[in-house]
Amino acid sequence: MTNRTGRTLCAIATATLAAGALFSGAVQADGEAGEHVEAMHEHIDTYVSDARAMTETASGLADAYAGGEAADPQALIDKWESVKLHAAIETTAATIYASIWQGIYGVKEAIEKERPDEAVREQVDALDHALWQGVGAVRLAAMQQKRGGGPGGDDARGHGASGPVATIGEIEHNLDRVVAEYAEGETKEAKELVHSTYMERFEGIEGLLIEQDAELVEALEKDFNVTLPRLIDQGAELSELRGAVDAMKEKLERAEGLAAKAGGDKEEVF
């Protein structure tokens, strides 16, 4: 059995070889949005197979790590970016999509930081749970799509918001997208989404909320304009950004209750 240092060196070597193989020829990533998302009900079996392939890849990494062998977590990211399930969940279930990325990076960080084998297994289990939640969401969205209801899923949540309560739902949805963009390395897009959500959505309801709880509004303004942008700029760990977003969601739940109590779901306040 190799020691942890040897394991890390092996992983680096494996990553180098994998990179060479990746660029040895042009590869079309199935994970990119394609025609299959227009008829998801015809591809359910593929999505299920993709989920199984993801769990097998994650479990294989955990087994290799436990056995003192090279365990390159980049293989898990590459797998996720190549499967059709990626685009299907991204299109229909933004919240779960973000959770899957969090699970992937949970496995990655646990391996790279040489945490105990049990900690790696816990992250693999969390990823597995999120993946199968995603498959369930895609199944539901596919049924709705087949009936002519559009993609469906929580990706549609909050679109066309007609009042503060609905707008808060849209804000929460966008925050999940921020986490997903950041996980994919799209830091510029993540930061722009934070800014546009604040300017185009939150500012439209803060007048009503200030009347109910000015301190809550001030705290959320700080989150939008300081906390999240700073974490993104600092290259914080995904789990830290996710934690900040979850804390914001708790505040937004309080805001939603205040808006509903004030009857603010009847019209937008600008």
Side-chain angles (χ1 to χ4, degrees), residues 9 35 58-59 65 73 82 91 95-96 135 153 157 173 182 190 198 222 235 246 268:
L9 292 174
E35 293 182 0
S59 295
Y65 183 79
S82 73
T91 302
T95 302
I96 299 174
V135 171
R157 180 185 176 190
H173 167 84
Y182 187 77
Y198 173 75
K222 180 181 178 182
D246 288 343
E268 199 78 65

Side-chain angles (χ1 to χ4, degrees), residues 93-95 154-159 168-178 193 249:
T95 302
D154 69 4
D155 194 59
R157 180 185 176 190
H159 288 282
I168 289 171
E170 188 176 64
I171 291 170
E172 292 176 338
H173 167 84
N174 283 357
L175 290 174
D176 285 325
R177 296 296 305 165
V178 168
L193 183 54
K249 283 187 173 184

